[in-house]
Amino acid sequence: MTRSQPRRARGTVGHAYSALNLRLALAGFGLVIMAIFAVLAFLANIVWLGVVCVLLALVAVVDLIIIQRRRAARRREEPGAKHSLFE
């Protein structure tokens, strides 16, 4: 079962271990920026930099998937609760 918070984390139900909504926004920003940088690097014929940017974009995609799973688990644990960007 996916939990909204990792086991043995220092957070509690009232004070989460990680600000999931903020992490979601930052991972989305990283994905967009790395995709743009990858395209620009490939257009400038700097292949190694383009590959590095693509790899970092893939890391952002994996992070987005993990964050969304934790947000869904939190939604199941606390139905109807609204969370701000920093919770």
Side-chain angles (χ1 to χ4, degrees):
M1 179 172 132
T2 303
R3 298 176 58 91
S4 63
Q5 188 165 304
R7 293 181 189 190
R8 298 182 303 271
R10 291 188 179 179
T12 63
V13 172
H15 300 285
Y17 172 74
S18 175
L20 293 177
N21 294 337
L22 180 61
R23 279 184 60 196
L24 181 69
L26 292 174
F29 176 76
L31 173 63
V32 170
I33 293 299
M34 285 298 112
I36 290 171
F37 285 168
V39 169
L40 292 175
F42 285 124
L43 289 175
N45 289 328
I46 308 172
V47 177
W48 67 270
L49 184 60
V51 170
V52 169
C53 290
V54 167
L55 291 175
L56 290 173
L58 289 175
V59 169
V61 168
V62 170
D63 195 28
L64 283 169
I65 292 169
I66 292 169
I67 293 166
Q68 280 298 94
R69 289 186 60 175
R70 287 188 181 166
R71 288 180 73 223
R74 180 176 66 185
R75 209 171 302 122
R76 283 191 303 272
E77 290 173 5
E78 304 171 4
K82 299 292 183 188
H83 296 279
S84 73
L85 183 63
F86 301 103
E87 324 183 63

